[in-house]
């Protein structure tokens, strides 16, 4: 199978989550990863109205992101090597699907410039001394892309509706281009996510793995007041094989939402 941008994603993400020795293994064994894994999308919880508030700035959102040491058993990285810098780098062939693609990339799913993101991964620092036979187990690591965005007026509610509407409109899939690499989401499915804050939309996406079957990714978007938090998780071991990525870790969601005002 051709080596895709998924392998590069695995390598750069591993830089912040694993040792340099395991980074080499990621490059060697990640060739079956898809060009741009898209979280499968799905369902939403009932929305509740919240008083309009002034949008937070990007600087304020950065302070609200989970920081290193705030969640036991997890490592926090800036995500500069894994997350796109702007929406211009993430394009779909169906405008209604844009909010889904943005949410999986840690970008604001709605109309705002106030956006901050990072990555949170399981802390498997002991993997640095793992024996060769333990490599696969060491790469059984969940990496979660976390994005925060803030909106004026009812912008947050509109952004949540755009995500929810996108899950329905894009059920049959869509094409995606990110950093010059193209991939195909073949199916989007609404899922039932635990309600946190004021409103929740959860969905899964089946992604074509370069013709070698599909992989299923999960995304959760939550609203607390006029701030949205998005979560998208990749598991390195599952990513290299295709199949189910597993759910977004509840511990990451709970800890991040608890920090929002």
């Amino acid at each position: 199978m051709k080596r895709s941008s998924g392998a590069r994603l695995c390598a750069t993400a591993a830089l912040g989550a694993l040792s340099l020795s395991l980074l080499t293994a990621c490059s060697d064994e990640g060739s079956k990863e898809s060009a741009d894994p898209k979280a499968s999308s799905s369902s939403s919880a009932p929305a509740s109205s919240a008083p309009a508030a002034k949008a937070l700035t990007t600087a304020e959102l950065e302070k609200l992101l989970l920081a290193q040491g705030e969640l036991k058993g997890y490592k926090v990285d800036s995500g500069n090597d894994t997350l796109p810098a702007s929406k211009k780098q993430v394009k779909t062939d169906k405008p209604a699907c844009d909010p889904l693609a943005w949410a999986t990339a840690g970008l604001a799913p709605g109309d705002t410039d106030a956006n901050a993101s990072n990555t949170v991964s399981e802390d498997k620092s002991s993997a640095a001394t793992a024996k060769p036979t333990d490599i696969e187990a060491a790469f059984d690591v969940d990496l979660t892309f976390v994005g925060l965005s803030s909106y004026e007026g009812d912008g947050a509610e509109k952004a949540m509706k755009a995500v929810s509407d996108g899950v329905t409109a894009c059920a049959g899939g869509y094409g995606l281009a990110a950093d010059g690499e193209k991939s195909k989401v073949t199916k989007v499915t609404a899922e039932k996510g635990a309600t946190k804050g004021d409103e929740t939309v959860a969905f899964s996406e089946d992604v074509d793995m370069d013709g070698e079957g599909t992989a299923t990714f999960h995304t959760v978007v939550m609203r607390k007041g006029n701030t949205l938090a998005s979560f998208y998780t990749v598991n390195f071991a599952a990513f290299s094989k295709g199949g189910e990525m597993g759910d977004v870790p509840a511990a990451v969601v709970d800890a991040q939402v608890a920090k929002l005002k």
Side-chain angles (χ1 to χ4, degrees), residues 175-193:
L176 179 100
D179 291 331
E181 299 283 351
K182 295 182 179 180
S183 62
K184 176 66 177 178
V185 175
T186 62
K187 180 181 179 181
V188 178
T189 305
E191 295 185 326
K192 183 177 181 180

Side-chain angles (χ1 to χ4, degrees), residues 47-56 99 108-112 114 148-164 198-201 221-229 260-261:
S48 63
S49 59
K54 182 177 176 59
L56 299 174
D111 185 14
T112 182
L148 299 182
S149 55
S150 190
Y151 305 80
E152 297 284 354
D154 62 352
E157 287 90 339
K158 289 181 177 179
M160 290 295 289
K161 185 177 186 303
V163 174
S164 180
D198 301 313
E199 188 176 358
T200 301
V201 176
V221 182
M222 295 182 175
R223 178 178 67 83
K224 189 169 184 179
N226 65 331
T227 299
L228 265 57
L260 301 183
K261 298 180 179 179

Side-chain angles (χ1 to χ4, degrees), residues 21-241:
S21 62
L22 291 184
L23 181 61
T24 302
C26 182
S27 176
D28 291 340
E29 299 180 11
S31 60
K32 293 185 68 175
E33 300 168 2
S34 72
D36 279 293
K38 296 309 155 217
S40 3
S41 358
S42 88
S43 76
S44 61
S48 63
S49 59
K54 182 177 176 59
L56 299 174
T57 65
T58 293
E60 289 172 326
L61 289 174
E62 289 175 344
K63 293 179 180 179
L64 291 176
L65 284 167
L66 281 175
Q68 182 61 35
E70 291 184 335
L71 182 56
K72 185 177 181 180
Y74 288 84
K75 295 180 66 175
V76 177
D77 185 74
S78 67
N80 291 340
D81 293 329
T82 55
L83 297 172
S86 73
K87 292 179 179 179
K88 294 180 180 180
Q89 296 176 266
V90 181
K91 299 180 180 180
T92 74
D93 60 0
K94 298 178 182 179
C97 305
D98 286 347
L100 306 185
W102 294 334
T104 66
L107 297 167
D111 185 14
T112 182
D113 293 325
N115 181 218
S117 60
N118 65 3
T119 61
V120 181
S121 61
E122 292 178 286
D123 187 358
K124 291 197 173 182
S125 54
S126 60
T129 58
K131 298 178 182 179
T133 55
D134 296 329
I135 289 295
E136 184 173 353
F139 269 92
D140 187 13
V141 173
D142 288 332
L143 175 75
T144 301
F145 299 168
V146 180
L148 299 182
S149 55
S150 190
Y151 305 80
E152 297 284 354
D154 62 352
E157 287 90 339
K158 289 181 177 179
M160 290 295 289
K161 185 177 186 303
V163 174
S164 180
D165 289 348
V167 171
T168 301
C170 306
Y174 61 92
L176 179 100
D179 291 331
E181 299 283 351
K182 295 182 179 180
S183 62
K184 176 66 177 178
V185 175
T186 62
K187 180 181 179 181
V188 178
T189 305
E191 295 185 326
K192 183 177 181 180
T195 302
K196 302 290 181 181
D198 301 313
E199 188 176 358
T200 301
V201 176
F203 58 92
S204 65
E205 293 177 319
D206 290 353
V207 181
D208 179 72
M209 299 289 279
D210 292 339
E212 297 287 333
T214 61
T216 301
F217 299 83
H218 301 272
T219 300
V220 175
V221 182
M222 295 182 175
R223 178 178 67 83
K224 189 169 184 179
N226 65 331
T227 299
L228 265 57
S230 63
F231 307 87
Y232 166 69
T233 298
V234 176
N235 180 284
F236 293 134
F239 195 16
S240 64
K241 300 175 183 178

